[in-house]
Amino acid sequence: MSDFHGVSVLVSGGTRGIGRAIVTAFAQGGARVTFTGRDARAAEETCAGSGAPDRCRFVAGDVSTAEAAEAAVAAAVEHGGGLDVLVNNAGITRDTLLLRMSQEDWDRVLAVNLTGAWQLTRAAARRLMKSRRGRIVNITSVVGLMGNAGQANYAASKAGLIGLTRSVARELAGRGVTANAVAPGFIQTDMTAGLPPGAADELQGRIPLGRLGTPEDVAAVVAFLAGETAGYITGQVIPVDGGMVM
Ligand code: NAI
């Protein structure tokens, strides 16, 4: 694990699941971590469980708006004395088959998963360029690579996030900022807890390593990409999926 003392990190959607594990990984590595989300009580639990509550700060807000993005970056700069690492993790699903998908289902998923990441990236870019080592890590999904029946909105948002990652990687490379994506497979969180038992068993059967992933499996790769030793990796998508996509 890299040493993150003196490093300022901003994580979107850190109140539970994968985002919470990412906040914890950075806080335990010594970083000052600012995270966003919508649930202040859950945010307290994230900080308390991180092992370094004094280095955690929560900012409430809807990630899909420009105002919330600006506020989150400002809070991270204040809390961390600058900004070195941005992790775009906040995401939602509104799964349904194409013919039943409403305009609202489509718009909301794209707004949170893709526009939200773009808003935060835009708001953070100048600060990251000023950093000694600017890093952007976007949490996409294997579904953004493979597609998935019943998830046209979600898969499109996650595929779009890969395009955003690679464009930003090219634009900011000259300023020493890397941008990569992590593509989790089937990870045990509240997001996947609602799947019907049959669907969960079927998915598990498609994982060569034979188990679901944990939020910590994903957080470890995020921390690696944000660390000192990953400075020559940019524009890449790293699956963390037990071998589902290969
Ligand atoms: P989760 O539902 O447990 O947590 C999502 C987080 O995003 C929460 O902290 C929530 O407050 C925050 N969030 C949602 N909408 C927001 C908004 N409008 N503004 C601010 N924050 C908002 O989800 P989970 O499973 O931890 O997923 C995290 C990321 O990983 C998501 O981007 C998801 O798409 C992605 N992912 C998850 C997989 C899984 O199997 N759980 C697989 C592949 C990708």
Side-chain angles (χ1 to χ4, degrees):
M1 153 75 87
S2 277
D3 180 2
F4 289 108
H5 283 94
V7 173
S8 172
V9 180
L10 174 58
V11 180
S12 72
T15 56
R16 62 184 207 183
I18 293 170
R20 175 177 281 178
I22 293 170
V23 169
T24 301
F26 281 114
Q28 290 186 349
R32 295 186 79 81
V33 188
T34 306
F35 65 100
T36 73
R38 296 164 305 172
D39 181 346
R41 249 188 58 145
E44 275 173 36
E45 285 170 31
T46 294
C47 285
S50 72
D54 50 320
R55 287 201 295 272
C56 282
R57 179 186 282 186
F58 172 64
V59 197
D62 180 343
V63 81
S64 63
T65 70
E67 298 73 34
E70 295 289 348
V73 170
V77 168
E78 209 245 335
H79 178 57
L83 183 61
D84 306 292
V85 179
L86 169 66
V87 182
N88 284 304
N89 164 78
I92 58 167
T93 51
R94 293 234 180 138
D95 299 349
T96 188
L97 294 171
L98 186 63
L99 295 181
R100 293 196 197 127
M101 191 170 285
S102 68
Q103 182 79 42
E104 226 276 313
D105 291 333
W106 173 268
D107 288 345
R108 190 64 194 145
V109 169
L110 269 289
V112 174
N113 298 6
L114 183 54
T115 306
W118 169 71
Q119 295 279 18
L120 268 177
T121 304
R122 186 174 63 155
R126 277 199 184 81
R127 293 291 178 174
L128 294 170
M129 286 187 239
K130 277 193 193 153
S131 163
R132 196 171 43 85
R133 62 152 200 256
R135 298 272 199 277
I136 300 168
V137 184
N138 294 327
I139 309 301
T140 176
S141 167
V142 291
V143 163
L145 298 166
M146 304 189 303
N148 198 21
Q151 290 198 305
N153 49 359
Y154 182 76
S157 73
K158 294 300 189 181
L161 198 49
I162 293 171
L164 175 69
T165 304
R166 291 190 163 141
S167 301
V168 168
R170 288 183 186 279
E171 274 194 43
L172 301 188
R175 312 299 292 266
V177 178
T178 70
N180 292 287
V182 173
F186 188 13
I187 309 298
Q188 271 177 312
T189 67
D190 292 333
M191 184 179 266
T192 48
L195 280 172
D201 291 346
E202 197 269 321
L203 268 168
Q204 187 161 343
R206 284 165 34 195
I207 303 172
L209 285 178
R211 68 167 177 89
L212 307 192
T214 64
E216 290 71 26
D217 288 327
V218 180
V221 178
V222 173
F224 164 69
L225 288 170
E228 197 85 59
T229 54
Y232 200 54
I233 302 173
T234 198
Q236 302 306 308
V237 182
I238 315 288
V240 180
D241 65 353
M244 265 172 101
V245 175
M246 62 169 135

